[in-house]
CSV table of all heavy atoms in Angstrom, one decimal:
chain,number,residue,atom,x,y,z
A,1270,MET,N,48.5,70.4,85.3
A,1270,MET,CA,49.0,71.4,84.4
A,1270,MET,C,50.4,71.1,83.8
A,1270,MET,O,51.2,70.7,84.6
A,1270,MET,CB,48.8,72.7,84.9
A,1270,MET,CG,48.7,73.8,83.9
A,1270,MET,SD,48.1,75.3,84.7
A,1270,MET,CE,49.7,75.9,85.4
A,1271,GLY,N,50.6,71.3,82.5
A,1271,GLY,CA,51.9,71.1,82.0
A,1271,GLY,C,52.9,72.2,82.3
A,1271,GLY,O,52.7,73.1,83.0
A,1272,LYS,N,54.2,72.0,81.8
A,1272,LYS,CA,55.1,73.1,81.9
A,1272,LYS,C,54.9,74.3,81.1
A,1272,LYS,O,54.1,74.3,80.1
A,1272,LYS,CB,56.5,72.5,81.6
A,1272,LYS,CG,56.9,71.4,82.5
A,1272,LYS,CD,58.0,70.6,81.8
A,1272,LYS,CE,59.4,71.2,82.2
A,1272,LYS,NZ,60.5,70.4,81.7
A,1273,THR,N,55.4,75.4,81.6
A,1273,THR,CA,55.1,76.7,81.0
A,1273,THR,C,56.4,77.3,80.5
A,1273,THR,O,57.4,77.3,81.3
A,1273,THR,CB,54.4,77.7,82.1
A,1273,THR,OG1,53.2,77.0,82.5
A,1273,THR,CG2,54.0,79.0,81.4
A,1274,VAL,N,56.5,78.0,79.4
A,1274,VAL,CA,57.6,78.7,78.9
A,1274,VAL,C,57.6,80.1,79.4
A,1274,VAL,O,56.7,80.8,79.3
A,1274,VAL,CB,57.6,78.6,77.4
A,1274,VAL,CG1,58.9,79.2,76.8
A,1274,VAL,CG2,57.4,77.2,76.8
A,1275,PHE,N,58.9,80.5,79.9
A,1275,PHE,CA,59.1,81.9,80.3
A,1275,PHE,C,60.3,82.4,79.6
A,1275,PHE,O,61.2,81.6,79.2
A,1275,PHE,CB,59.4,81.9,81.9
A,1275,PHE,CG,58.3,81.4,82.8
A,1275,PHE,CD1,58.2,80.1,83.1
A,1275,PHE,CD2,57.3,82.3,83.2
A,1275,PHE,CE1,57.2,79.6,83.8
A,1275,PHE,CE2,56.2,81.8,84.0
A,1275,PHE,CZ,56.2,80.5,84.3
A,1276,LEU,N,60.2,83.7,79.3
A,1276,LEU,CA,61.4,84.3,78.6
A,1276,LEU,C,61.6,85.7,79.1
A,1276,LEU,O,60.7,86.5,79.3
A,1276,LEU,CB,60.8,84.5,77.1
A,1276,LEU,CG,61.9,84.8,76.0
A,1276,LEU,CD1,61.4,84.3,74.7
A,1276,LEU,CD2,62.3,86.2,76.0
A,1277,ASP,N,62.9,85.9,79.5
A,1277,ASP,CA,63.3,87.2,80.1
A,1277,ASP,C,63.7,88.2,78.9
A,1277,ASP,O,64.7,88.1,78.4
A,1277,ASP,CB,64.4,86.9,81.0
A,1277,ASP,CG,64.9,88.3,81.7
A,1277,ASP,OD1,64.4,89.4,81.3
A,1277,ASP,OD2,65.6,88.2,82.7
A,1278,ARG,N,62.8,89.1,78.6
A,1278,ARG,CA,63.0,90.0,77.5
A,1278,ARG,C,64.1,91.0,77.8
A,1278,ARG,O,64.6,91.6,76.8
A,1278,ARG,CB,61.7,90.6,77.1
A,1278,ARG,CG,60.7,89.8,76.3
A,1278,ARG,CD,59.3,90.4,76.2
A,1278,ARG,NE,59.3,91.7,75.5
A,1278,ARG,CZ,59.4,91.8,74.1
A,1278,ARG,NH1,59.3,90.7,73.4
A,1278,ARG,NH2,59.4,93.0,73.6
A,1279,GLU,N,64.4,91.3,79.0
A,1279,GLU,CA,65.4,92.2,79.3
A,1279,GLU,C,66.9,91.5,78.8
A,1279,GLU,O,67.7,92.3,78.4
A,1279,GLU,CB,65.6,92.4,80.9
A,1279,GLU,CG,64.3,93.1,81.4
A,1279,GLU,CD,64.2,94.6,81.0
A,1279,GLU,OE1,65.3,95.2,81.0
A,1279,GLU,OE2,63.2,95.1,80.5
A,1280,GLU,N,66.9,90.2,78.9
A,1280,GLU,CA,68.2,89.6,78.6
A,1280,GLU,C,68.3,89.3,77.1
A,1280,GLU,O,69.4,89.2,76.5
A,1280,GLU,CB,68.3,88.3,79.4
A,1280,GLU,CG,68.4,88.6,80.9
A,1280,GLU,CD,69.7,89.3,81.2
A,1280,GLU,OE1,70.7,89.0,80.6
A,1280,GLU,OE2,69.7,90.0,82.1
A,1281,CYS,N,67.1,89.2,76.4
A,1281,CYS,CA,67.1,88.7,75.0
A,1281,CYS,C,67.8,89.7,74.2
A,1281,CYS,O,67.7,90.9,74.3
A,1281,CYS,CB,65.6,88.5,74.6
A,1281,CYS,SG,65.4,88.2,72.9
A,1282,ILE,N,68.7,89.1,73.2
A,1282,ILE,CA,69.5,89.9,72.3
A,1282,ILE,C,68.8,89.8,70.9
A,1282,ILE,O,69.4,90.3,69.9
A,1282,ILE,CB,71.0,89.5,72.3
A,1282,ILE,CG1,71.1,88.0,71.9
A,1282,ILE,CG2,71.6,89.9,73.7
A,1282,ILE,CD1,72.5,87.7,71.6
A,1283,GLY,N,67.8,89.1,70.7
A,1283,GLY,CA,67.0,89.1,69.5
A,1283,GLY,C,67.8,88.3,68.3
A,1283,GLY,O,67.6,88.6,67.2
A,1284,CYS,N,68.5,87.3,68.7
A,1284,CYS,CA,69.3,86.5,67.8
A,1284,CYS,C,68.3,85.7,66.9
A,1284,CYS,O,68.7,85.3,65.7
A,1284,CYS,CB,70.3,85.6,68.4
A,1284,CYS,SG,69.5,84.1,69.2
A,1285,GLY,N,67.1,85.4,67.2
A,1285,GLY,CA,66.2,84.7,66.5
A,1285,GLY,C,66.2,83.1,66.6
A,1285,GLY,O,65.6,82.4,65.9
A,1286,MET,N,67.2,82.6,67.3
A,1286,MET,CA,67.4,81.1,67.3
A,1286,MET,C,66.1,80.4,67.8
A,1286,MET,O,65.8,79.3,67.2
A,1286,MET,CB,68.5,80.8,68.3
A,1286,MET,CG,69.9,81.2,67.7
A,1286,MET,SD,70.4,80.0,66.3
A,1286,MET,CE,70.9,78.7,67.3
A,1287,CYS,N,65.5,80.9,68.8
A,1287,CYS,CA,64.3,80.3,69.4
A,1287,CYS,C,63.2,80.2,68.4
A,1287,CYS,O,62.6,79.2,68.3
A,1287,CYS,CB,63.9,80.9,70.7
A,1287,CYS,SG,63.5,82.7,70.5
A,1288,GLN,N,63.0,81.2,67.7
A,1288,GLN,CA,62.0,81.3,66.6
A,1288,GLN,C,62.3,80.3,65.5
A,1288,GLN,O,61.4,79.6,64.9
A,1288,GLN,CB,61.8,82.7,66.1
A,1288,GLN,CG,60.8,82.9,65.0
A,1288,GLN,CD,60.7,84.3,64.4
A,1288,GLN,OE1,59.7,85.0,64.7
A,1288,GLN,NE2,61.7,84.6,63.6
A,1289,ASP,N,63.6,80.2,65.1
A,1289,ASP,CA,64.1,79.3,64.1
A,1289,ASP,C,63.7,77.9,64.5
A,1289,ASP,O,63.3,77.1,63.6
A,1289,ASP,CB,65.5,79.5,63.8
A,1289,ASP,CG,65.8,80.7,63.1
A,1289,ASP,OD1,64.9,81.4,62.5
A,1289,ASP,OD2,67.0,81.1,62.9
A,1290,ILE,N,64.0,77.6,65.7
A,1290,ILE,CA,63.9,76.2,66.2
A,1290,ILE,C,62.5,75.9,66.4
A,1290,ILE,O,62.0,74.9,66.1
A,1290,ILE,CB,64.8,76.0,67.5
A,1290,ILE,CG1,66.2,76.1,67.1
A,1290,ILE,CG2,64.4,74.7,68.1
A,1290,ILE,CD1,67.1,76.3,68.3
A,1291,CYS,N,61.6,76.7,67.0
A,1291,CYS,CA,60.3,76.5,67.4
A,1291,CYS,C,59.3,77.6,67.2
A,1291,CYS,O,58.9,78.3,68.3
A,1291,CYS,CB,60.3,75.9,68.9
A,1291,CYS,SG,58.7,75.3,69.4
A,1292,PRO,N,59.0,77.9,66.0
A,1292,PRO,CA,58.2,79.0,65.6
A,1292,PRO,C,56.8,78.9,66.2
A,1292,PRO,O,56.0,80.0,66.3
A,1292,PRO,CB,58.2,79.0,64.1
A,1292,PRO,CG,58.5,77.8,63.7
A,1292,PRO,CD,59.4,77.2,64.8
A,1293,GLU,N,56.4,77.7,66.6
A,1293,GLU,CA,55.0,77.5,67.2
A,1293,GLU,C,55.0,78.3,68.6
A,1293,GLU,O,53.9,78.7,69.1
A,1293,GLU,CB,54.7,76.0,67.3
A,1293,GLU,CG,53.3,75.7,67.8
A,1293,GLU,CD,53.2,74.2,67.8
A,1293,GLU,OE1,53.8,73.5,67.2
A,1293,GLU,OE2,52.3,73.8,68.7
A,1294,VAL,N,56.1,78.4,69.2
A,1294,VAL,CA,56.1,78.9,70.6
A,1294,VAL,C,56.8,80.3,70.7
A,1294,VAL,O,56.4,81.1,71.5
A,1294,VAL,CB,56.9,77.9,71.5
A,1294,VAL,CG1,57.0,78.5,72.9
A,1294,VAL,CG2,56.1,76.6,71.6
A,1295,PHE,N,57.8,80.6,69.9
A,1295,PHE,CA,58.6,81.8,70.0
A,1295,PHE,C,58.4,82.7,68.7
A,1295,PHE,O,58.4,82.1,67.6
A,1295,PHE,CB,60.1,81.6,70.1
A,1295,PHE,CG,60.4,80.7,71.4
A,1295,PHE,CD1,60.6,79.3,71.3
A,1295,PHE,CD2,60.4,81.2,72.7
A,1295,PHE,CE1,60.9,78.5,72.3
A,1295,PHE,CE2,60.7,80.4,73.7
A,1295,PHE,CZ,60.9,79.1,73.6
A,1296,GLU,N,58.5,84.0,68.9
A,1296,GLU,CA,58.3,84.9,67.7
A,1296,GLU,C,59.1,86.1,68.1
A,1296,GLU,O,59.0,86.7,69.2
A,1296,GLU,CB,56.8,85.2,67.6
A,1296,GLU,CG,56.5,86.2,66.6
A,1296,GLU,CD,54.9,86.5,66.6
A,1296,GLU,OE1,54.3,85.8,65.9
A,1296,GLU,OE2,54.4,87.4,67.3
A,1297,LEU,N,59.8,86.6,67.1
A,1297,LEU,CA,60.5,88.0,67.3
A,1297,LEU,C,59.4,89.0,67.0
A,1297,LEU,O,58.7,88.9,66.0
A,1297,LEU,CB,61.6,88.1,66.3
A,1297,LEU,CG,62.8,87.4,66.5
A,1297,LEU,CD1,64.0,87.9,65.7
A,1297,LEU,CD2,63.3,87.5,68.0
A,1298,ASP,N,59.3,90.0,67.8
A,1298,ASP,CA,58.2,91.0,67.8
A,1298,ASP,C,58.9,92.3,67.1
A,1298,ASP,O,60.0,92.3,66.6
A,1298,ASP,CB,57.6,91.4,69.0
A,1298,ASP,CG,58.5,92.0,70.0
A,1298,ASP,OD1,59.6,92.4,69.6
A,1298,ASP,OD2,58.1,92.1,71.2
A,1299,GLU,N,58.0,93.3,67.0
A,1299,GLU,CA,58.5,94.5,66.3
A,1299,GLU,C,59.7,95.2,67.0
A,1299,GLU,O,60.3,96.0,66.4
A,1299,GLU,CB,57.3,95.5,66.2
A,1299,GLU,CG,56.6,95.9,67.4
A,1299,GLU,CD,55.7,94.8,68.0
A,1299,GLU,OE1,55.3,93.9,67.3
A,1299,GLU,OE2,55.2,94.9,69.2
A,1300,GLU,N,59.9,94.9,68.3
A,1300,GLU,CA,61.1,95.5,69.0
A,1300,GLU,C,62.3,94.7,68.7
A,1300,GLU,O,63.4,95.0,69.3
A,1300,GLU,CB,60.7,95.5,70.5
A,1300,GLU,CG,59.7,96.5,70.9
A,1300,GLU,CD,59.4,96.3,72.4
A,1300,GLU,OE1,60.3,95.9,73.1
A,1300,GLU,OE2,58.4,96.8,72.8
A,1301,GLY,N,62.1,93.6,68.0
A,1301,GLY,CA,63.3,92.8,67.7
A,1301,GLY,C,63.7,91.9,68.8
A,1301,GLY,O,64.8,91.3,68.9
A,1302,LYS,N,62.8,91.6,69.6
A,1302,LYS,CA,63.0,90.7,70.8
A,1302,LYS,C,62.0,89.5,70.8
A,1302,LYS,O,60.9,89.7,70.1
A,1302,LYS,CB,62.9,91.4,72.1
A,1302,LYS,CG,64.0,92.4,72.4
A,1302,LYS,CD,64.1,92.8,73.8
A,1302,LYS,CE,65.3,93.7,74.1
A,1302,LYS,NZ,65.8,93.6,75.4
A,1303,ALA,N,62.4,88.4,71.4
A,1303,ALA,CA,61.6,87.2,71.3
A,1303,ALA,C,60.4,87.3,72.3
A,1303,ALA,O,60.6,88.0,73.3
A,1303,ALA,CB,62.3,86.0,71.5
A,1304,ARG,N,59.3,86.8,71.9
A,1304,ARG,CA,58.2,86.7,73.0
A,1304,ARG,C,57.6,85.3,72.8
A,1304,ARG,O,57.7,84.7,71.8
A,1304,ARG,CB,57.1,87.8,72.7
A,1304,ARG,CG,56.3,87.6,71.5
A,1304,ARG,CD,55.2,88.7,71.5
A,1304,ARG,NE,54.7,88.9,70.1
A,1304,ARG,CZ,54.2,89.9,69.7
A,1304,ARG,NH1,54.2,91.1,70.4
A,1304,ARG,NH2,53.7,90.0,68.5
A,1305,VAL,N,57.0,84.9,73.9
A,1305,VAL,CA,56.3,83.5,73.9
A,1305,VAL,C,54.9,83.7,73.3
A,1305,VAL,O,54.1,84.4,74.0
A,1305,VAL,CB,56.4,82.9,75.3
A,1305,VAL,CG1,55.7,81.6,75.3
A,1305,VAL,CG2,57.8,82.7,75.8
A,1306,ILE,N,54.6,83.0,72.3
A,1306,ILE,CA,53.2,83.2,71.8
A,1306,ILE,C,52.4,81.9,72.2
A,1306,ILE,O,51.2,81.9,72.0
A,1306,ILE,CB,53.2,83.3,70.3
A,1306,ILE,CG1,54.0,82.2,69.6
A,1306,ILE,CG2,53.7,84.7,69.9
A,1306,ILE,CD1,53.9,82.3,68.0
A,1307,LYS,N,53.1,80.9,72.7
A,1307,LYS,CA,52.3,79.7,73.2
A,1307,LYS,C,53.0,79.2,74.4
A,1307,LYS,O,53.8,78.2,74.3
A,1307,LYS,CB,52.2,78.6,72.0
A,1307,LYS,CG,51.4,77.5,72.4
A,1307,LYS,CD,51.2,76.5,71.3
A,1307,LYS,CE,50.2,75.5,71.5
A,1307,LYS,NZ,50.1,74.4,70.5
A,1308,PRO,N,52.7,79.7,75.5
A,1308,PRO,CA,53.4,79.3,76.8
A,1308,PRO,C,53.2,77.8,77.1
A,1308,PRO,O,54.1,77.3,77.9
A,1308,PRO,CB,52.9,80.3,77.8
A,1308,PRO,CG,51.9,81.1,77.2
A,1308,PRO,CD,51.7,80.7,75.8
A,1309,GLN,N,52.1,77.2,76.8
A,1309,GLN,CA,51.8,75.8,77.2
A,1309,GLN,C,51.4,75.1,76.0
A,1309,GLN,O,50.7,75.6,75.1
A,1309,GLN,CB,50.8,75.8,78.3
A,1309,GLN,CG,51.3,76.4,79.6
A,1309,GLN,CD,50.2,76.2,80.7
A,1309,GLN,OE1,49.1,76.3,80.4
A,1309,GLN,NE2,50.7,76.2,81.9
A,1310,GLY,N,51.7,73.7,76.0
A,1310,GLY,CA,51.2,72.8,75.0
A,1310,GLY,C,52.0,72.8,73.7
A,1310,GLY,O,51.6,72.1,72.8
A,1311,GLY,N,53.1,73.5,73.6
A,1311,GLY,CA,53.9,73.4,72.4
A,1311,GLY,C,54.8,72.2,72.5
A,1311,GLY,O,54.8,71.5,73.5
A,1312,PRO,N,55.6,71.9,71.5
A,1312,PRO,CA,56.4,70.7,71.4
A,1312,PRO,C,57.6,70.9,72.4
A,1312,PRO,O,58.5,71.7,72.2
A,1312,PRO,CB,56.9,70.7,70.0
A,1312,PRO,CG,56.7,72.1,69.4
A,1312,PRO,CD,55.6,72.7,70.3
A,1313,GLU,N,57.6,70.1,73.4
A,1313,GLU,CA,58.5,70.2,74.5
A,1313,GLU,C,60.0,69.9,74.1
A,1313,GLU,O,60.9,70.6,74.5
A,1313,GLU,CB,58.2,69.1,75.7
A,1313,GLU,CG,56.9,69.5,76.3
A,1313,GLU,CD,56.9,68.9,77.8
A,1313,GLU,OE1,57.9,68.3,78.3
A,1313,GLU,OE2,55.8,69.1,78.4
A,1314,ASP,N,60.2,69.0,73.1
A,1314,ASP,CA,61.6,68.8,72.7
A,1314,ASP,C,62.1,69.9,71.9
A,1314,ASP,O,63.3,70.3,72.1
A,1314,ASP,CB,61.5,67.5,71.8
A,1314,ASP,CG,60.6,67.6,70.5
A,1314,ASP,OD1,59.7,68.3,70.7
A,1314,ASP,OD2,60.8,66.9,69.5
A,1315,LEU,N,61.4,70.7,71.2
A,1315,LEU,CA,61.8,71.9,70.4
A,1315,LEU,C,62.0,73.1,71.5
A,1315,LEU,O,63.0,73.8,71.3
A,1315,LEU,CB,60.9,72.3,69.4
A,1315,LEU,CG,60.8,71.3,68.2
A,1315,LEU,CD1,59.8,71.8,67.2
A,1315,LEU,CD2,62.1,71.0,67.6
A,1316,VAL,N,61.1,73.2,72.5
A,1316,VAL,CA,61.4,74.2,73.5
A,1316,VAL,C,62.7,73.9,74.2
A,1316,VAL,O,63.5,74.9,74.4
A,1316,VAL,CB,60.2,74.1,74.5
A,1316,VAL,CG1,60.6,75.1,75.7
A,1316,VAL,CG2,58.9,74.7,73.9
A,1317,GLU,N,63.0,72.7,74.5
A,1317,GLU,CA,64.3,72.3,75.2
A,1317,GLU,C,65.4,72.6,74.2
A,1317,GLU,O,66.5,73.2,74.7
A,1317,GLU,CB,64.3,70.8,75.5
A,1317,GLU,CG,63.3,70.4,76.5
A,1317,GLU,CD,63.6,71.0,78.0
A,1317,GLU,OE1,64.6,71.6,78.2
A,1317,GLU,OE2,62.8,70.7,78.9
A,1318,GLN,N,65.4,72.4,72.9
A,1318,GLN,CA,66.4,72.7,71.9
A,1318,GLN,C,66.6,74.2,72.0
A,1318,GLN,O,67.7,74.7,71.8
A,1318,GLN,CB,66.0,72.2,70.6
A,1318,GLN,CG,66.3,70.8,70.3
A,1318,GLN,CD,66.0,70.4,68.9
A,1318,GLN,OE1,66.3,71.2,67.9
A,1318,GLN,NE2,65.3,69.3,68.7
A,1319,ALA,N,65.5,75.0,72.0
A,1319,ALA,CA,65.6,76.5,72.0
A,1319,ALA,C,66.3,76.9,73.3
A,1319,ALA,O,67.2,77.9,73.2
A,1319,ALA,CB,64.2,77.1,71.9
A,1320,ILE,N,66.0,76.3,74.4
A,1320,ILE,CA,66.6,76.8,75.6
A,1320,ILE,C,68.2,76.4,75.5
A,1320,ILE,O,68.9,77.3,75.9
A,1320,ILE,CB,66.0,75.9,76.8
A,1320,ILE,CG1,64.6,76.4,77.1
A,1320,ILE,CG2,66.9,75.9,78.1
A,1320,ILE,CD1,63.8,75.7,78.1
A,1321,ASP,N,68.5,75.3,75.0
A,1321,ASP,CA,70.0,75.0,74.8
A,1321,ASP,C,70.6,76.0,73.9
A,1321,ASP,O,71.8,76.2,74.0
A,1321,ASP,CB,70.1,73.5,74.4
A,1321,ASP,CG,69.7,72.5,75.5
A,1321,ASP,OD1,69.6,72.9,76.6
A,1321,ASP,OD2,69.5,71.4,75.1
A,1322,ALA,N,69.9,76.4,72.8
A,1322,ALA,CA,70.5,77.2,71.8
A,1322,ALA,C,70.6,78.7,72.1
A,1322,ALA,O,71.4,79.4,71.6
A,1322,ALA,CB,69.7,77.0,70.5
A,1323,CYS,N,69.8,79.1,73.1
A,1323,CYS,CA,69.7,80.6,73.5
A,1323,CYS,C,71.1,81.0,74.0
A,1323,CYS,O,71.5,80.5,75.0
A,1323,CYS,CB,68.6,80.9,74.4
A,1323,CYS,SG,68.5,82.6,74.9
A,1324,PRO,N,71.8,82.0,73.3
A,1324,PRO,CA,73.0,82.3,73.7
A,1324,PRO,C,73.2,83.1,75.0
A,1324,PRO,O,74.2,83.2,75.6
A,1324,PRO,CB,73.6,83.3,72.6
A,1324,PRO,CG,72.3,83.7,71.9
A,1324,PRO,CD,71.3,82.7,72.1
A,1325,VAL,N,72.1,83.6,75.6
A,1325,VAL,CA,72.1,84.3,76.8
A,1325,VAL,C,71.2,83.7,77.9
A,1325,VAL,O,71.0,84.2,79.0
A,1325,VAL,CB,71.6,85.8,76.6
A,1325,VAL,CG1,72.6,86.5,75.8
A,1325,VAL,CG2,70.2,85.9,76.0
A,1326,SER,N,70.8,82.4,77.6
A,1326,SER,CA,70.1,81.6,78.5
A,1326,SER,C,68.9,82.3,79.2
A,1326,SER,O,68.8,82.3,80.4
A,1326,SER,CB,71.0,81.0,79.6
A,1326,SER,OG,72.0,80.3,79.0
A,1327,CYS,N,68.1,83.0,78.4
A,1327,CYS,CA,67.0,83.7,78.9
A,1327,CYS,C,65.6,83.1,78.9
A,1327,CYS,O,64.6,83.6,79.1
A,1327,CYS,CB,67.0,85.1,78.4
A,1327,CYS,SG,66.4,85.2,76.7
A,1328,ILE,N,65.7,81.7,78.4
A,1328,ILE,CA,64.4,81.0,78.3
A,1328,ILE,C,64.4,80.0,79.4
A,1328,ILE,O,65.3,79.4,79.8
A,1328,ILE,CB,64.3,80.3,77.0
A,1328,ILE,CG1,64.5,81.2,75.8
A,1328,ILE,CG2,62.9,79.6,76.9
A,1328,ILE,CD1,64.7,80.6,74.5
A,1329,ALA,N,63.2,79.9,80.1
A,1329,ALA,CA,63.0,78.8,81.1
A,1329,ALA,C,61.7,78.0,80.9
A,1329,ALA,O,60.8,78.6,80.2
A,1329,ALA,CB,63.0,79.5,82.5
A,1330,PHE,N,61.7,76.8,81.4
A,1330,PHE,CA,60.6,75.9,81.1
A,1330,PHE,C,60.3,75.3,82.4
A,1330,PHE,O,61.1,74.4,82.9
A,1330,PHE,CB,60.9,74.9,80.1
A,1330,PHE,CG,59.8,74.2,79.4
A,1330,PHE,CD1,58.6,74.7,79.2
A,1330,PHE,CD2,60.1,72.9,78.9
A,1330,PHE,CE1,57.6,74.1,78.5
A,1330,PHE,CE2,59.1,72.3,78.2
A,1330,PHE,CZ,57.8,72.8,78.0
A,1331,LYS,N,59.3,75.6,83.2
A,1331,LYS,CA,58.9,75.2,84.5
A,1331,LYS,C,57.5,74.8,84.7
A,1331,LYS,O,56.6,75.2,84.0
A,1331,LYS,CB,59.1,76.4,85.4
A,1331,LYS,CG,60.6,76.9,85.4
A,1331,LYS,CD,60.6,78.0,86.4
A,1331,LYS,CE,61.3,79.3,85.8
A,1331,LYS,NZ,61.4,80.4,86.6
A,1332,GLU,N,57.3,73.9,85.7
A,1332,GLU,CA,56.0,73.4,86.0
A,1332,GLU,C,55.2,74.6,86.6
A,1332,GLU,O,55.8,75.4,87.4
A,1332,GLU,CB,56.1,72.3,87.1
A,1332,GLU,CG,56.7,71.0,86.6
A,1332,GLU,CD,55.8,70.2,85.6
A,1332,GLU,OE1,54.6,70.5,85.6
A,1332,GLU,OE2,56.3,69.5,84.9
B,2562,SF4,S1,67.4,82.5,71.4
B,2562,SF4,FE1,67.4,83.7,73.3
B,2562,SF4,S2,68.4,85.7,72.8
B,2562,SF4,FE2,67.9,84.6,70.9
B,2562,SF4,S3,65.9,85.6,70.3
B,2562,SF4,FE3,65.5,83.7,71.5
B,2562,SF4,S4,65.2,84.4,73.6
B,2562,SF4,FE4,66.3,86.0,72.5
C-alpha cells in the first residue's frame, strides 16, 4: 500500500496553498479549511510541495 495523506484540520488556517499546489488531493471546504479528497494515489511530488508550503505544517504523508 502506498503512502497516505493526513491533515490536521484543528491546525489548518485555510490559506489555500495546498489546494493551489495540488487540487487533486486538497480542497478548501465550506468551513474554509482544507480537507483531503484523495488520501492515496495522488501525485507524490505535489503532495510533498504542499507539505513544504503549508505555513502551519499540518499536513503529513505516511506509510
Ligand atoms: S496549506 Fe496548510 S494551512 Fe494552508 S489550507 Fe492547506 S492545510 Fe491549511
Side-chain angles (χ1 to χ4, degrees):
M1270 203 168 79
K1272 293 165 92 175
T1273 303
V1274 183
F1275 297 91
L1276 195 155
D1277 184 347
R1278 284 172 57 85
E1279 295 290 314
E1280 296 295 323
C1281 174
I1282 58 169
C1284 73
M1286 289 286 285
C1287 55
Q1288 178 182 254
D1289 288 348
I1290 293 167
C1291 188
E1293 187 179 335
V1294 171
F1295 303 99
E1296 174 181 274
L1297 285 192
D1298 68 10
E1299 55 284 346
E1300 291 175 25
K1302 292 199 173 202
R1304 68 176 164 211
V1305 177
I1306 53 174
K1307 187 173 184 184
Q1309 293 186 329
E1313 294 201 5
D1314 54 337
L1315 293 182
V1316 170
E1317 296 288 357
Q1318 278 184 42
I1320 288 170
D1321 290 344
C1323 178
V1325 294
S1326 302
C1327 70
I1328 308 168
F1330 199 27
K1331 300 181 231 176
E1332 293 290 342

